[in-house]
Amino acid sequence: MRTSFLVLGFITLLLVGLGVWFAKRPLDVINAATPGWYSEKTLALSYGPDARHKLDIYRPTVQNQPAPVVVFFYGGSWNRGERADYAFVGEALAARGMVAVLVDYRVYPQVRYPAFLDDVAMAVAWSFKEINRYGGDPQNIFVMGHSAGAYNAAMLALDERWLAKQGVSAKNLRGLIGLAGPYDFIPIVNPEVRPVFFFPNTPAESQPINHVSANAPPSLLIAPQEDQLVNPQRNTGGLAKRLREAGVKVTETYYKSTSHASLVGTIAWPLRGLAPVLDDLSSFVAATKKTNTSAKAIEPKKP
């Protein structure tokens, strides 16, 4: 009897420990449960001079022609984040026939607005120049992000200054995919975000919603219906409304069964039952990409 209680106690402690670990590092669990046989990976490529100027590429294992490219930026209130934590995004996109580019960028306190926009613009410019060597089609590049990363993607797509500084036209982007993005957040409430944007002197030009024009690319904007961190009606709904008024094609979707954090997690197969986010973005890319392009896929050079 005593042995049974000891075993039961050990199992209980193990489950509690796993629960605590999952609560602290849920992305580790998601990545561990994500199969990696659908992609070929090229990791830690430099796109700029800083240690944070690194990106990872996930391409389909079976590929007969250049694939559409999705450049992904993670969230983290511009205070934290690592591209390796989002390997599941790269694996999922590659499994759906896309080339995924996962980007690290500098965060606070190393930099403040707008330095990280220069970083992500540099990564996209690198993609336009180099992605054909990794099976990607430079005529079909989409920018995508979650939370703060969706802000980064939206600023590149809507404010032409950032890519222009890198010698690239924002008009060459095929589409914008935003997940739970903050696009209109003055005055800033989040204490982590305030110093990033010089609160209370946050410049109005820092807000994506203030850069909407008819030149914006087709957009897919997704958010949880009840988001406790980024107000979906003001941010996703407000940007979608402004884009429509400018004559831009936009798809606006909300899901009841996801939170701010779990929305991006539904891209991984263990959580796909919560919301069809991967299906949504796959359909959007397929419907929006150019067809019959002349881009030629080139194998990466051997080291």
Side-chain angles (χ1 to χ4, degrees):
M1 179 69 70
R2 183 179 179 183
T3 301
S4 298
F5 276 117
L6 288 173
V7 171
L8 181 59
F10 174 77
I11 293 173
T12 300
L13 287 173
L14 178 62
L15 291 174
V16 170
L18 287 173
V20 171
W21 179 68
F22 181 82
K24 291 183 176 180
R25 296 292 300 172
L27 296 179
D28 287 348
V29 177
I30 292 173
N31 282 320
T34 299
W37 53 76
Y38 294 112
S39 73
E40 294 181 3
K41 292 173 275 293
T42 306
L43 306 179
L45 293 171
S46 294
Y47 68 85
D50 192 83
R52 293 277 298 179
H53 291 160
K54 294 289 192 297
L55 56 82
D56 295 341
I57 296 175
Y58 295 74
R59 61 182 293 188
T61 52
V62 178
Q63 186 178 353
N64 298 318
Q65 58 185 356
V69 179
V70 177
V71 183
F72 175 79
F73 310 116
Y74 50 71
S77 300
W78 302 277
N79 278 248
R80 69 190 71 84
E82 301 289 340
R83 66 189 188 281
D85 289 341
Y86 295 86
F88 67 92
V89 174
E91 299 286 3
L93 296 180
R96 292 294 180 95
M98 291 168 266
V99 171
V101 181
L102 275 56
V103 179
D104 272 347
Y105 54 94
R106 291 174 297 168
V107 294
Y108 182 81
Q110 182 182 0
V111 298
R112 299 185 182 190
Y113 168 87
F116 46 81
L117 293 177
D118 285 324
D119 291 359
V120 295
M122 197 185 310
V124 171
W126 183 97
S127 299
F128 273 106
K129 181 180 178 181
E130 303 289 346
I131 203 62
N132 63 329
R133 299 175 57 231
Y134 301 90
D137 183 352
Q139 296 187 54
N140 278 310
I141 291 182
F142 296 74
V143 287
M144 171 183 168
H146 169 247
S147 191
Y151 167 95
N152 295 344
M155 284 296 281
L156 295 189
L158 303 178
D159 185 351
E160 299 180 0
R161 292 177 299 165
W162 308 110
L163 284 173
K165 288 174 66 175
Q166 305 299 326
V168 175
S169 173
K171 295 177 183 179
N172 291 332
L173 293 173
R174 289 304 301 158
L176 164 66
I177 303 168
L179 307 181
Y183 312 115
D184 179 20
F185 54 92
I186 295 177
I188 299 173
V189 176
N190 188 332
E192 284 190 312
V193 174
R194 285 181 167 183
V196 179
F197 288 89
F198 304 97
F199 180 87
N201 300 312
T202 308
E205 67 174 16
S206 68
Q207 304 298 287
I209 199 166
N210 292 331
H211 297 282
V212 172
S213 73
N215 293 327
S219 301
L220 171 65
L221 304 178
I222 302 175
Q225 189 165 307
E226 300 294 334
D227 191 330
Q228 302 303 313
L229 188 61
V230 177
N231 183 293
Q233 287 72 38
R234 176 180 177 180
N235 288 273
T236 294
L239 181 59
K241 180 176 182 291
R242 193 73 61 86
L243 287 166
R244 289 194 190 95
E245 290 173 347
V248 178
K249 183 177 181 181
V250 58
T251 301
E252 175 187 4
T253 304
Y254 302 90
Y255 287 110
K256 295 181 180 180
S257 54
T258 63
S259 66
H260 182 83
S262 68
L263 185 69
V264 68
T266 64
I267 293 174
W269 76 265
L271 299 180
R272 285 179 197 164
L274 294 176
V277 173
L278 181 61
D279 289 340
D280 291 345
L281 70 89
S282 298
S283 297
F284 174 75
V285 170
T288 309
K289 69 179 182 179
K290 286 184 179 179
T291 58
N292 299 320
T293 66
S294 59
K296 181 180 179 182
I298 302 174
E299 293 297 322
K301 293 179 180 179
K302 302 298 182 182

